[in-house]
Amino acid sequence: ADIPVIPDLEDVQEEELAMQVAAPPSVQVNRVLTYHDLDKDLMKYAAFQTLDGEVDLKLLTKVLAPEHELREDDVSWDWDHLFTEVSSELVTEWDLGQSERED
């Protein structure tokens, strides 16, 4: 019942093609604009002052915060320290709530 069969050459070639991996597409990477570049463009071009030609963004652009005000130092979080700090604050708030109820 199980007679060995010699495979056709076309079948073998199709299997070889199925095992090959296509090369990834090459994409040209554009330069990412910095906050400073975006700020200059925002103030320089009036096109950024409206959205879809209908929504006026002038009020928003006047109150945007500069980059140096938005930057924050990276702070590492330690789970034990963070848990202790939050727990302590919650207990303090609970104690204040209890003392106000008693008064």
Side-chain angles (χ1 to χ4, degrees), residues 42-43 45-51 54-64:
L42 183 64
M43 297 306 166
Y45 299 110
F48 289 118
Q49 306 256 332
T50 60
L51 180 64
E54 298 174 9
V55 180
D56 187 11
L57 298 176
K58 290 177 187 172
L59 182 61
L60 175 65
T61 57
K62 288 180 184 177
V63 295
L64 287 176

Side-chain angles (χ1 to χ4, degrees), residues 1-40:
D2 292 332
I3 301 174
V5 178
I6 299 174
D8 290 335
L9 183 58
E10 293 173 357
D11 294 338
V12 173
Q13 287 177 344
E14 288 177 9
E15 288 178 12
E16 287 178 5
L17 289 176
M19 298 305 289
Q20 292 179 355
V21 177
S26 62
V27 178
Q28 182 180 1
V29 177
N30 296 332
R31 185 177 74 89
V32 177
L33 295 175
T34 62
Y35 285 121
H36 183 67
D37 295 337
L38 292 172
D39 285 342
K40 284 195 307 190

Side-chain angles (χ1 to χ4, degrees), residues 55-80:
V55 180
D56 187 11
L57 298 176
K58 290 177 187 172
L59 182 61
L60 175 65
T61 57
K62 288 180 184 177
V63 295
L64 287 176
E67 177 188 1
H68 64 86
E69 289 181 10
L70 301 176
R71 293 284 180 185
E72 293 181 355
D73 294 332
D74 290 336
V75 178
S76 61
W77 289 7
D78 177 30
W79 169 251
D80 295 329

